[in-house]
Structures are given as C-alpha cells and as structure tokens.
Amino acid sequence: ALRGALELALNQAVNSFKGTIAPYAIINCLRAACEGMSFRDGLRIESEEFGRLLFSVQSAALRHLFFAQRLASRVPGNNAAPSAITKVGIIGAGLMGGGIAICFVQKGIPVV
C-alpha cells in the first residue's frame, strides 16, 4: 500500500510540475524513510538528493529568476510612489473574478 501511495504521489507531482526534478527527489527521500533503512542511510540519501538538486540547472535557473524579479522592481530613475487604490474594475465574474471582488469589498474598496 505504501509503494502504491508513493507512486500515486509521484504521478500527481509529475503531472502538476511537468519537467521538474524535485518531485522525484522528494519521493526518493520519502521512500528511503518509509522502507525500513537505517537513519544514517536515510540521511545519506537525503544529502545526495539535496546536493543533486542544489547544483542542478533548474536550481540555478530558479535562483536567477528570483533575483531578476527583485531587480526588475528597481528601475533606475523611477522614484514614483504608488497611488492609493480607490476603485477596482474586474472583468469576469467567474470563480476567480468573484474571489478577487470579494477581497476588495472586504477591504472597503468599491468594485465595478
């Protein structure tokens, strides 16, 4: 049953996060923890997986993206302060649009 649960979790993770390597590493660590190996062997597997992830191309790309997003918010010469939100217009009244509208209404901001 445990093996089936881990395989199901891996399939769900792989489908939700296509192309990423972390789900495989996480399931491998869980498998090591649940299949009766020694604590020391489990730590060794976790350390190996962490090192593999840390030095992967995906990890480098995600760090680059993180810092690029931070730099993008600091445009040289931009000293403008954000203006207050006094009214919000939302296009679409589906689940997402309705949820966004509720958030603004709860904060006392008129929604059109």
Side-chain angles (χ1 to χ4, degrees), residues 19-22 25 48-64:
T20 60
I21 58 175
E48 288 170 2
E49 292 293 347
F50 179 77
R52 191 171 61 84
L53 291 173
L54 180 64
F55 298 108
S56 70
V57 172
Q58 285 183 10
S59 176
L62 289 169
R63 287 190 307 273
H64 176 78

Side-chain angles (χ1 to χ4, degrees), residues 16-27:
S16 296
F17 305 101
K18 293 185 186 312
T20 60
I21 58 175
Y24 295 100
I26 293 166
I27 296 299

Side-chain angles (χ1 to χ4, degrees), residues 31-108:
R31 189 174 285 124
C34 297
E35 290 185 348
M37 71 175 41
S38 72
F39 184 72
R40 184 178 301 282
D41 288 340
L43 287 177
R44 180 184 50 77
I45 287 176
E46 184 178 349
S47 177
E48 288 170 2
E49 292 293 347
F50 179 77
R52 191 171 61 84
L53 291 173
L54 180 64
F55 298 108
S56 70
V57 172
Q58 285 183 10
S59 176
L62 289 169
R63 287 190 307 273
H64 176 78
L65 178 63
F66 175 83
F67 290 112
Q69 287 175 329
R70 298 304 172 279
L71 284 174
S73 66
R74 295 185 217 131
V75 177
N78 180 7
N79 300 325
S83 56
I85 299 173
T86 56
K87 185 177 5 176
V88 175
I90 298 174
I91 299 172
L95 184 62
M96 183 181 267
I100 293 169
I102 288 171
C103 289
F104 281 105
V105 168
Q106 287 176 338
K107 292 294 182 182

